[in-house]
């Protein structure tokens, strides 16, 4: 059967934008402000979405000590989100606060990597996701300390101290669980294989990254790979886990094309702000 | 106040020892774990501290229910920090009970199998964001009433845990009231949510103090041992007297038509909660009993492989260390 | 398996403190994790700069019933305290 003519509006995004905040002349794509705004939302959306995922464990972790430790990590990530998205709003100059950006953008305007929106699954999967991210996050923040923009350097310095601890902790637990019991080993190897296709996106470079790196504002993501490889190779070896072979990776998160999971996460996260527009909480 | 209706255990000890023990308690000596204590004192404490600890842990659930839906980044952080504190308080209390010779795992198994209780209040659902305000304001408010005097309890580890808990909890009630202020002075819908939350949480909060214990022999024994410091009725009265003006400030109405100031007693007269509902909830028929316990069972069961794996790894490490020496 | 993680006692030295003070206990599978758990459980409010942990089972405590013989004898040795001695005002601070 031939397909029916498309009677849908061709540009739903523009219409949706016109109804929400930021309708006043969005930043021009390719402009330095737009690039920096995009780079900052990539950082802030990573911490926001991962912090949200980690917070889902609160009250449900396998042991009280872990419940408390995970909440600390989620709190660090939420705090970093406030800083990154706060700065993004400032750069944008359209009066949007960190909360506006977190609660009033739709999924296609989120720029986090797909890795952080993957569901928690079991506790081992959560920790493996954390480790793979931390091993990227730490060298990323270290490089950001030297950003040409001092505001970025300051945030990176503060966040870097927190994330150094996150990495120490997640790496240690990956080792312990990889080299624990047969069951824990199998679970960790399974988690690693499931998450592996989401690793490559963290190092994937698009034209925004190129321009930001050129301006000395943010590092070239590909430059972080050797540090990440060194950490991951060492920890996986100690954990007796086998590094998957595949080079294929899913991408799109940084450009706003997400998995189905993000929509559900945002539906919960943004619900109150969306249901009662303009209310103060 | 998470220890409702803790029945004191009978004690069959040497009267001379009992008398000496009572003299120490009366002199405000702290009793430490390895010292002699009446069997009833030990058992009552295990039950009371255990119930208190379980309440902190189960108490994470109704508030945790809103962490992923908190309306701003700051509210999300505050709520997460608060629920995290509850896990910490549960941990401190389990440790205090452990000094009496019962392990945390044993207490957990007793909670999960229904042999130990937790406060009835956590079997009520949190249905709107205003409930998070009401829980902080009313439930934490009621808990603090009981916990502050318990800092002076006779058992050293319990007393020290309560001191730490009270210090940390000081922000909990305030953050709840802060949410209520925003809601009560917000949009008409927000105000409606705030009033609805007060309507639903008022009587369950009064039940937190337990039924009247004026004539209870068990209470008298616990009070003599300074495991219990005030009667349930004293604390309930104090709570009402403190809360009514706070509700007035918010412009909210306490759902009790008979509430009125009694000049003579210098406190409010108020209606009793429906005690048959209280006993129903204790028997397992509250709105959320089954969900709460199942959530804890699931966390425990699904976490077993994790706990076992870390034990196994620690043993491997220790063995390697020995081999290397 | 399912044996419970052992109990550890946690000692923390605060920002301005000279000594490590006992702050409470927790469970952990080994000393390294006990330190980390102590960091997460007991320094949430910026309480510490240094942590010690020791297995609860490894602590030897004085017996409470010995309280009298253990500690009272030192009560009578007042000459160990500086206030025992009267130094004339003219001598000045000593």
């Amino acid at each position: 059967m031939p397909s029916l003519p498309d009677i849908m509006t061709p540009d739903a995004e523009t219409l949706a934008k016109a109804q929400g905040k930021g309708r006043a002349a969005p930043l021009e794509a390719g402009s330095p402000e737009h690039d920096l705004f995009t780079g900052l939302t990539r950082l802030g959306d990573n911490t926001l979405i991962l912090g949200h995922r980690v917070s889902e464990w609160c009250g449900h972790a396998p042991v009280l000590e872990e419940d408390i430790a995970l909440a600390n990590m989620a709190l660090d990530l939420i705090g970093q989100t406030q800083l990154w998205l706060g700065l993004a709003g400032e750069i944008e100059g359209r009066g949007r606060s960190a909360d506006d950006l977190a609660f009033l953008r739709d999924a296609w305007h989120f720029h986090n990597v797909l890795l952080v929106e993957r569901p928690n699954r079991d506790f081992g999967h959560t920790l493996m996701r954390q480790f793979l991210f931390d091993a990227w996050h730490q060298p990323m923040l270290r490089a950001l300390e030297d950003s040409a923009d001092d505001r970025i350097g300051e945030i990176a310095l503060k966040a870097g101290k927190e994330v150094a601890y996150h990495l120490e902790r997640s790496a240690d637990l990956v080792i312990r669980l990889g080299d624990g019991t047969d069951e824990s080993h199998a679970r960790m190897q399974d988690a690693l294989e499931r998450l592996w296709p989401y690793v490559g996106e963290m190092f994937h470079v698009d034209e925004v990254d190129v321009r930001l790196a050129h301006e000395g504002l943010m590092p070239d993501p590909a430059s972080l790979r050797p540090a990440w490889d060194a950490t991951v190779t060492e920890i996986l070896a100690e954990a007796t886990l086998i590094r998957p072979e595949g080079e294929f990776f899913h991408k799109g998160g940084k450009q706003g094309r997400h998995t189905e999971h993000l929509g559900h996460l945002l539906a919960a996260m943004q619900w109150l702000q969306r249901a009662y527009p303009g209310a103060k909480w | 106040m998470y220890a409702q209706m803790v029945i004191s255990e009978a004690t069959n000890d040497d009267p001379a020892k009992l008398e000496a023990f009572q003299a120490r308690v009366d002199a405000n000596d702290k009793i430490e774990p390895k010292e002699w204590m009446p069997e009833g004192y030990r058992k009552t404490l295990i039950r009371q501290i255990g119930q208190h600890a379980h309440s902190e842990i189960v108490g994470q659930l109704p508030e945790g229910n809103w962490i992923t839906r908190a309306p701003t980044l700051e509210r999300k952080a505050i709520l997460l920090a608060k629920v995290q504190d509850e896990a910490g308080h549960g941990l401190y209390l389990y440790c205090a009970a452990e000094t009496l010779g019962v392990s945390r795992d044993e207490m957990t198994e007793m909670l999960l199998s229904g042999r130990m209780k937790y406060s009835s209040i956590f079997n009520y659902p949190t249905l709107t964001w205003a409930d998070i305000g009401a829980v902080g304001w009313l439930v934490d408010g009621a808990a603090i009433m009981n916990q502050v005097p318990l800092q002076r309890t006779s058992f050293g580890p319990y007393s020290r845990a309560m001191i730490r808990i009270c210090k940390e909890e000081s922000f909990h009630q305030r953050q709840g009231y802060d949410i209520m202020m925003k809601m009560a002075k917000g949009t008409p819908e927000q105000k409606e949510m705030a009033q609805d939350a007060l309507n639903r949480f008022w009587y369950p909060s009064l039940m937190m103090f337990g039924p009247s214990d004026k004539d209870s022999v068990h209470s008298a024994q616990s009070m003599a041992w300074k495991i219990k410091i005030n009667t349930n009725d004293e604390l309930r009265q104090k709570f009402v007297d403190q809360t009514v003006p706070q509700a007035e400030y918010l412009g909210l109405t306490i759902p009790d038509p008979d509430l009125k100031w009694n000049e003579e007693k210098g406190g409010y007269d108020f209606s009793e909660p429906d005690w048959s509902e209280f006993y129903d909830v204790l028997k397992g028929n509250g709105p959320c009993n089954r969900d709460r316990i199942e959530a804890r069972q699931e966390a425990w069961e699904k976490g077993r492989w994790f706990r076992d794996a870390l034990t196994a790894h620690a043993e491997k490490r220790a063995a390697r260390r020995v081999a290397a020496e | 398996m399912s044996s419970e993680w052992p109990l550890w006692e946690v000692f923390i030295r605060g920002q301005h403190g000279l000594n490590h003070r006992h702050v409470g206990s927790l469970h952990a599978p080994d000393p390294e994790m006990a330190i980390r758990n102590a960091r997460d459980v007991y320094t949430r409010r910026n309480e510490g700069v240094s942590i010690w942990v020791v297995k609860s089972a490894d602590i030897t405590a004085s017996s409470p019933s010995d309280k009298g013989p253990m500690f009272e004898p030192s009560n009578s040795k007042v000459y160990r305290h500086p206030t025992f001695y009267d130094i004339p005002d003219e001598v000045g601070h000593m």
Side-chain angles (χ1 to χ4, degrees):
Chain A
M1 190 171 110
S3 58
L4 292 168
D6 183 5
I7 56 164
M8 298 284 286
T9 167
D11 195 0
E13 180 172 352
T14 310
L15 274 187
K17 264 184 196 156
Q19 298 202 332
K21 283 207 181 192
R23 99 195 83 170
L27 294 171
E28 191 193 331
S31 66
E33 294 78 18
H34 186 267
D35 283 347
L36 189 52
F37 175 79
T38 304
L40 289 166
T41 52
R42 285 175 180 174
L43 292 165
D45 291 344
N46 279 341
T47 53
L48 173 62
I49 302 303
L50 186 60
H52 186 97
R53 281 288 185 231
V54 175
S55 78
E56 289 172 3
W57 275 104
C58 189
H60 304 275
V63 65
L64 273 178
E65 283 80 356
E66 279 303 316
D67 211 300
I68 294 168
L70 239 52
N72 275 341
M73 202 156 59
L75 285 170
D76 287 343
L77 293 168
I78 295 166
Q80 293 168 19
T81 303
Q82 289 173 306
L83 298 173
W84 290 128
L85 294 186
L87 183 54
E90 205 179 309
I91 299 288
E92 187 192 37
R94 298 288 190 274
R96 288 201 284 184
S97 65
D99 278 339
D100 291 335
L101 290 171
F103 293 93
L104 298 175
R105 280 178 302 158
D106 204 343
W108 58 31
H109 290 132
F110 271 76
H111 297 131
N112 56 282
V113 293
L114 302 178
L115 175 72
V116 297
E117 70 198 48
R118 300 303 301 160
N120 287 339
R121 297 180 64 89
D122 70 13
F123 205 64
H125 190 269
T126 297
L127 290 170
M128 182 59 83
R129 183 186 63 201
Q130 189 70 39
F131 168 64
L132 297 174
F133 179 78
D134 291 342
W136 169 86
H137 202 193
Q138 198 212 19
M140 180 64 174
L141 291 170
R142 194 166 289 167
L144 285 171
E145 283 179 32
D146 301 325
S147 168
D149 187 325
D150 289 344
R151 293 169 296 184
I152 294 178
E154 266 173 52
I155 299 173
L157 188 65
K158 180 184 182 296
K161 287 179 193 151
E162 296 167 348
V163 169
Y165 182 75
H166 297 180
L167 176 59
E168 189 184 313
R169 212 179 159 279
S170 63
D172 182 58
L173 284 169
V174 164
I175 292 170
R176 288 168 184 271
L177 295 173
D179 184 22
T181 59
D182 290 347
E183 181 181 0
S184 71
H185 178 85
R187 283 176 184 268
M188 295 312 277
Q189 186 66 44
D190 176 64
L192 181 59
E193 277 157 26
R194 283 175 187 275
L195 291 166
W196 196 254
Y198 296 94
V199 161
E201 188 188 8
M202 293 190 286
F203 309 101
H204 181 61
V205 182
D206 71 1
E207 69 275 16
V208 175
D209 294 314
V210 171
R211 289 193 294 267
L212 287 172
H214 183 74
E215 297 298 322
L217 290 165
M218 293 189 187
D220 173 354
S223 69
L224 306 171
R225 184 92 201 207
W228 187 89
D229 273 330
T231 308
V232 169
T233 302
E234 180 201 327
I235 300 301
L236 291 186
E238 216 181 317
T240 70
L241 294 171
I242 299 179
R243 187 184 164 121
E245 297 276 323
E247 292 299 318
F248 169 80
F249 61 91
H250 297 285
K251 53 182 184 289
K254 286 167 67 175
Q255 293 77 29
R257 287 185 304 281
H258 291 275
T259 65
E260 290 179 346
H261 301 291
L262 185 66
H264 292 280
L265 185 155
L266 295 181
M269 186 176 92
Q270 300 182 334
W271 174 72
L272 270 177
Q273 288 271 6
R274 301 284 194 173
Y276 302 97
K280 298 270 176 291
W281 303 96
Chain B
M1 168 53 31
Y2 294 146
Q4 289 157 328
M5 301 197 50
V6 174
I7 293 171
S8 325
E9 293 278 347
T11 210
N12 286 312
D13 294 291
D14 172 4
K17 277 185 162 176
L18 271 179
E19 200 178 313
F21 179 81
Q22 190 61 52
R24 289 190 60 200
V25 171
D26 292 343
N28 290 326
D29 245 13
K30 289 282 179 247
I31 309 300
E32 294 299 331
K34 291 185 177 154
E35 298 173 346
W36 185 86
M37 61 185 76
E39 212 32 49
Y41 179 85
R42 177 190 302 274
K43 284 189 184 159
T44 308
L45 269 176
I46 289 176
R47 188 178 294 180
Q48 177 170 331
I49 302 173
Q51 188 170 316
H52 194 158
H54 296 327
S55 299
E56 298 281 356
I57 301 310
V58 178
Q60 287 186 279
L61 299 170
E63 287 177 286
N65 182 38
W66 279 90
I67 288 174
T68 57
R69 291 179 290 170
T72 68
L73 293 170
E74 188 179 71
R75 288 288 178 206
K76 192 196 280 288
I78 293 171
L79 182 58
L80 186 54
K82 175 177 189 284
V83 181
Q84 180 196 42
D85 271 350
E86 275 144 25
H89 299 170
L91 187 150
Y92 307 157
L93 288 161
Y94 282 130
C95 289
E98 281 176 272
T99 63
L100 292 162
V102 55
S103 76
R104 192 200 292 177
D105 280 7
E106 284 169 328
M107 285 184 277
T108 302
E109 300 284 357
M110 284 197 270
L111 168 70
L112 299 183
S113 62
R115 279 174 294 151
M116 276 180 99
K117 300 273 179 225
Y118 56 91
S119 176
S120 58
I121 190 75
F122 301 117
N123 291 314
Y124 289 88
T126 52
L127 302 176
T128 73
W129 175 251
D131 289 11
I132 298 307
V135 168
W137 172 36
L138 301 173
V139 176
D140 287 296
I144 290 164
M145 285 282 149
N146 186 52
Q147 292 177 347
V148 166
L150 271 178
Q151 294 178 98
R152 293 181 281 115
T153 185
S154 59
F155 185 55
Y158 193 22
S159 164
R160 291 190 285 273
M162 290 318 306
I163 288 169
R164 196 175 178 92
I165 289 171
C166 286
K167 201 166 111 196
E168 295 187 351
E169 283 223 337
S170 53
F171 92 85
H172 291 185
Q173 194 188 8
R174 282 173 175 233
Q175 67 84 34
Y177 197 70
D178 189 55
I179 292 176
M180 291 308 274
M181 285 199 292
K182 282 276 194 319
M183 302 294 282
K185 304 206 183 310
T187 65
E189 287 122 321
Q190 283 178 304
K191 185 157 185 180
E192 206 180 322
M193 279 187 247
Q195 182 63 54
D196 178 55
L198 174 57
N199 292 350
R200 281 180 290 108
F201 276 96
W202 174 252
Y203 287 107
S205 300
L206 295 187
M207 291 178 202
M208 286 177 68
F209 299 94
S212 180
D213 54 1
K214 284 194 286 283
D215 311 313
S216 163
V217 186
H218 295 300
S219 283
Q221 177 62 81
S222 282
M223 287 179 81
W225 279 337
K226 293 190 184 155
I227 294 175
K228 188 180 169 82
I229 309 290
N230 304 90
T231 68
N232 297 348
D233 292 326
E234 277 166 20
L235 292 171
R236 190 171 10 248
Q237 181 69 52
K238 208 171 155 201
F239 173 74
V240 171
D241 293 344
Q242 172 190 290
T243 308
V244 172
Q246 294 168 350
E248 280 167 2
Y249 179 81
L250 294 172
L252 299 178
T253 310
I254 303 246
D256 179 358
D258 297 327
L259 182 87
K260 65 171 187 297
W261 179 255
N262 179 334
E263 191 63 49
E264 202 178 318
K265 77 171 178 186
Y268 286 90
D269 290 332
F270 57 94
S271 304
E272 289 275 309
D274 174 1
W275 290 109
S276 66
E277 175 182 319
F278 174 74
Y279 288 108
D280 274 340
V281 174
L282 279 198
K283 271 185 250 159
N285 295 322
C288 302
N289 294 55
R290 186 169 286 239
D291 293 339
R292 299 290 186 242
I293 280 296
E294 280 178 359
R296 290 311 307 161
Q297 283 166 340
E298 187 179 320
W300 185 243
E301 292 305 328
K302 289 192 173 166
R304 189 182 305 280
W305 71 269
F306 172 85
R307 298 189 299 273
D308 287 350
L310 293 198
T311 302
H313 182 84
E315 281 163 6
K316 285 184 194 179
R317 260 191 207 195
R320 280 175 213 149
R321 221 171 342 222
V322 170
E325 274 165 13
Chain C
M1 182 170 0
S2 291
S3 56
E4 191 166 2
W5 295 349
L7 194 64
W8 303 78
E9 299 302 324
V10 180
F11 300 81
I12 289 185
R13 181 159 67 79
Q15 308 276 355
H16 307 290
L18 277 175
N19 305 312
H20 285 75
R21 281 187 53 218
H22 183 242
V23 293
S25 11
L26 48 74
H27 288 272
D30 65 13
E32 291 81 13
M33 275 201 74
I35 291 270
R36 249 197 274 284
N37 288 347
R39 181 263 189 201
D40 280 313
V41 173
Y42 287 107
T43 67
R44 298 202 302 286
R45 286 170 172 79
N46 203 14
E47 292 98 330
V49 293
S50 167
I51 301 174
W52 289 350
V53 293
V54 58
K55 237 185 202 171
S56 309
D58 290 341
I59 290 187
T60 309
S62 63
S63 158
S65 52
D66 290 345
K67 220 186 234 170
M70 285 275 265
F71 305 114
E72 272 164 33
S74 63
N75 273 351
S76 55
K77 317 271 191 306
V78 286
Y79 44 79
R80 283 201 173 111
H81 298 276
T83 45
F84 177 73
Y85 307 92
D86 284 329
I87 303 292
D89 287 347
E90 298 87 307
V91 179
H93 177 73
M94 183 178 284

